[in-house]
Amino acid sequence: MFNLVRTTARATAARFFSNSPTMQAPTVAVVLSGSGVYDGSEIHEASAALVSLTRAGAEVVCYAPHAPQLHVIDHTKGAPMEGESRNVLVESARIARGNVKPLAELSSATADAVFFPGGFGAAKNLSDFAVKGADMSVASEVERVIKDFHGAKKPIGLCCIAPVIAAKVLGSSGVTLTLGKADDGSGKWPYAGSIDAAKSFGANAVEKGVNEVAVDEANRVVTTPAYMYEGKFHEIHDGVAKAINSLLSLIKS
């Protein structure tokens, strides 16, 4: 039975990556920022990405900074927990089921593409956007990874608030990305201010719905709003799945 399942998975990968009869299933790095929407990776976005990647036959390797979180949030209250300290790598292992490597080990030589789920961890642990807004800086290892993959012309995917990191690092390249839509008064787009920040970095921030994807073929960057929109679980999952499919398509192109 196990051999049948494994054979089926290999056949699926072969069908998806069929440009060349010798093409191997790609390896995609997923960069996590902790575990939990308010102080780490948004778990549903990360899960949607991991599911979509392995369903398509890709090999996945998770990475995270080996560094302390900005702070620890009590998710039942949305408030910091005094006296608590957690490590981003250790917390990310909860999502990766223990299989996570230090971000320092990631380079464009070890993966065919990289994907960054959102969550406040992207704005607190991978960057300081949550604290400094448009005056933000990006963690040195994160900036190195993005520049490395961009320079190697390998695809970069990001969702939710994570695209603001690409805007900061690749803004001078005129990168096109999405952080969702402007506030329309519905309360569904509570983080629309990030769009102005991205534009201030030189990025071409385009408006996309939760089920849409922005693909910058020149810079090989794929983005989708995810929880920048106050949507339902399946809406977020479906949008992230579309982004992953677009990311994998760029690997083949």
Side-chain angles (χ1 to χ4, degrees), residues 5 10 23 36-37 65 68-69 90 92 98 168 190 194 216 219 222 226 245:
V5 172
R10 287 174 175 170
M23 187 171 187
V37 56
Q69 294 183 184
V90 173
S92 296
K168 177 65 176 179
S194 61
D216 182 339
N219 285 295
V222 175
N245 287 337

Side-chain angles (χ1 to χ4, degrees), residues 22 27 31 73 80 83 96 103 112 135 137 171 199 215 233 235 238:
T22 60
T27 296
V31 179
I73 296 294
L103 187 59
D112 298 295
D135 293 324
S137 60
K199 289 179 178 178
V215 179
F233 291 121
E235 293 178 303
D238 292 348

Side-chain angles (χ1 to χ4, degrees), residues 42 44-46 48 115-119 158-163 178-181 188-191 208-213 223-233 235-241 243:
E42 210 298 317
H44 302 285
E45 294 173 359
F115 187 82
F116 293 79
L158 314 95
C159 70
C160 194
I161 191 59
T178 189
L179 286 150
K181 293 187 176 183
K188 290 288 190 178
W189 299 97
Y191 310 111
K208 295 288 184 180
V210 67
N211 63 340
E212 296 180 301
V213 176
T223 52
T224 193
Y227 270 115
M228 296 301 275
Y229 176 75
E230 292 292 330
K232 298 179 180 179
F233 291 121
E235 293 178 303
I236 308 310
H237 191 288
D238 292 348
V240 172

Side-chain angles (χ1 to χ4, degrees), residues 6-251:
R6 184 168 58 184
T7 300
T8 302
R10 287 174 175 170
T12 299
R15 286 196 299 271
F16 196 96
F17 300 99
S18 58
N19 283 355
S20 166
T22 60
M23 187 171 187
Q24 299 289 321
T27 296
V28 178
V30 175
V31 179
L32 302 172
S33 59
S35 179
V37 56
Y38 298 127
D39 58 11
S41 293
E42 210 298 317
I43 294 172
H44 302 285
E45 294 173 359
S47 178
L50 294 169
V51 167
S52 298
L53 285 166
T54 59
R55 176 171 284 141
E59 297 291 333
V60 178
V61 182
C62 292
Y63 294 85
H66 196 349
Q69 294 183 184
L70 173 67
H71 55 198
V72 179
I73 296 294
D74 179 342
H75 281 59
T76 66
K77 300 176 181 177
M81 299 175 67
E82 298 299 329
E84 287 279 340
S85 177
R86 298 184 186 180
N87 180 282
V88 179
L89 181 72
V90 173
E91 291 303 294
S92 296
R94 294 176 179 271
I95 295 175
R97 296 177 58 83
N99 297 317
V100 62
K101 297 181 178 182
L103 187 59
E105 296 181 13
L106 175 58
S107 76
S108 62
T110 61
D112 298 295
V114 62
F115 187 82
F116 293 79
F120 278 87
K124 294 178 177 180
N125 304 326
L126 304 187
S127 73
D128 56 11
F129 179 73
V131 177
K132 297 184 178 180
D135 293 324
M136 71 178 285
S137 60
V138 177
S140 59
E141 281 297 328
V142 177
E143 182 173 4
R144 176 191 62 79
V145 167
I146 291 177
K147 286 183 175 179
D148 180 18
F149 275 78
H150 184 253
K153 299 187 184 303
K154 291 189 172 182
I156 303 167
L158 314 95
C159 70
C160 194
I161 191 59
V164 79
I165 297 174
K168 177 65 176 179
V169 176
L170 303 178
S172 61
S173 299
V175 63
T176 294
L177 49 78
T178 189
L179 286 150
K181 293 187 176 183
D183 183 9
D184 59 4
S186 68
K188 290 288 190 178
W189 299 97
Y191 310 111
S194 61
I195 297 174
D196 292 331
K199 289 179 178 178
S200 75
F201 303 144
N204 176 29
V206 297
E207 293 195 12
K208 295 288 184 180
V210 67
N211 63 340
E212 296 180 301
V213 176
V215 179
D216 182 339
E217 294 189 1
N219 285 295
R220 304 183 72 74
V221 173
V222 175
T223 52
T224 193
Y227 270 115
M228 296 301 275
Y229 176 75
E230 292 292 330
K232 298 179 180 179
F233 291 121
H234 73 276
E235 293 178 303
I236 308 310
H237 191 288
D238 292 348
V240 172
K242 286 183 178 180
I244 292 298
N245 287 337
S246 295
L247 185 76
L248 295 174
S249 293
L250 284 181
I251 294 175

